Amino acid sequence: MAAPEGGGLGEDAWLDRETAQWLRWDKNFLTLEAVKRLIAEGNKEELGKCFGARMEFGTAGLRAAMGPGISRMNDLTIIQTTQGFCRYLEKQFSDLKQKGIVISFDARAHPSSGGSSRRFARLAATTFISQGIPVYLFSDITPTPFVVEALKALEWRLRPLLCLKNFLAQPSRRWNEKALRKLLTFLIRKCILEF
């Protein structure tokens, strides 16, 4: 575990601050109790693993073990990350509130923390909806190719909204296969969450 550089707090004070903040914000009984138990046991090593560094969005999205703390995937980190992703998408797409976002999930689950792909997808959907952004949430475990097909179907239904300047030089230009592939690739990278 590494305390932030230049923060002026010692490692113990920094960890105490991080865990106290977690206890105020976490609403999942299982992860909340897990952190309380680690604090009661004085297990600074495990607390350091949970709170040592915040997960980061990488080229493959969020990747971390499920469990309590800012280093793990859990209800709180999913909600916080989705809020940040929402802000990013709002800056990138002026029509986000008309276009919406597609969310799917797989079968992964971590019963001891209450985390699962399905739960995280629902939390992300709720976060987007609370910001007025439409969500197309699959109702069951979904392989990625199905998500791509959903995007194709939505593209034709929402065609005027998806004519992004990056891919179409003129609004009257006809769609060709190459432009459609570019658009779908772009949307997959920017507008799909898979948990």
Side-chain angles (χ1 to χ4, degrees):
M1 172 188 67
E5 289 181 28
L9 293 174
E11 208 170 280
D12 286 346
W14 176 79
L15 185 57
D16 290 345
R17 187 191 73 203
E18 290 294 313
T19 56
Q21 186 176 56
W22 180 269
L23 295 174
R24 284 193 307 275
W25 291 350
D26 189 14
K27 302 301 179 206
N28 179 318
F29 177 78
L30 294 172
T31 51
L32 184 67
E33 289 302 311
V35 172
K36 286 180 180 178
R37 185 178 60 254
L38 291 172
I39 292 169
E41 294 168 355
N43 191 340
K44 292 195 184 278
E45 182 179 340
E46 189 60 30
L47 284 167
K49 290 177 185 175
C50 294
F51 293 94
R54 183 169 281 282
M55 282 186 305
E56 293 183 7
F57 241 104
T59 55
L62 287 178
R63 293 289 182 258
M66 292 184 201
I70 62 173
S71 299
R72 311 269 170 87
M73 292 193 62
N74 53 65
D75 293 3
L76 185 55
T77 56
I78 292 298
I79 292 168
Q80 290 173 334
T81 302
T82 304
Q83 287 170 337
F85 192 49
C86 182
R87 296 290 84 74
Y88 170 79
L89 291 174
E90 287 174 332
K91 289 178 183 174
Q92 300 299 313
F93 304 102
S94 60
D95 59 351
L96 180 64
K97 291 189 177 183
Q98 290 81 38
K99 186 173 22 176
I101 187 161
V102 175
I103 302 176
S104 70
F105 56 92
D106 61 24
R108 285 174 287 179
H110 188 254
S112 65
S113 70
S116 71
S117 295
R118 180 184 305 265
R119 180 178 178 91
F120 295 160
R122 289 178 176 167
L123 287 168
T126 301
T127 304
F128 277 109
I129 290 167
S130 75
Q131 301 300 308
I133 299 168
V135 172
Y136 301 93
L137 173 64
F138 280 86
S139 60
D140 207 350
I141 296 166
T142 309
T144 301
F146 284 37
V147 178
V148 173
E149 290 303 314
L151 279 175
K152 287 179 185 178
L154 285 173
E155 187 276 328
W156 291 114
R157 198 179 108 217
L158 302 173
R159 188 172 183 178
L161 299 173
L162 295 179
C163 293
L164 301 174
K165 292 177 187 173
N166 298 22
F167 301 104
L168 300 177
Q170 301 170 351
S172 61
R173 184 175 151 190
R174 297 184 76 94
W175 283 95
N176 62 37
E177 191 62 31
K178 185 177 177 184
L180 183 58
R181 268 197 320 272
K182 282 184 177 181
L183 178 60
L184 290 174
T185 301
F186 177 80
L187 290 172
I188 288 166
R189 288 186 183 143
K190 299 292 186 186
C191 297
I192 295 179
L193 293 177
E194 290 184 293
F195 293 101

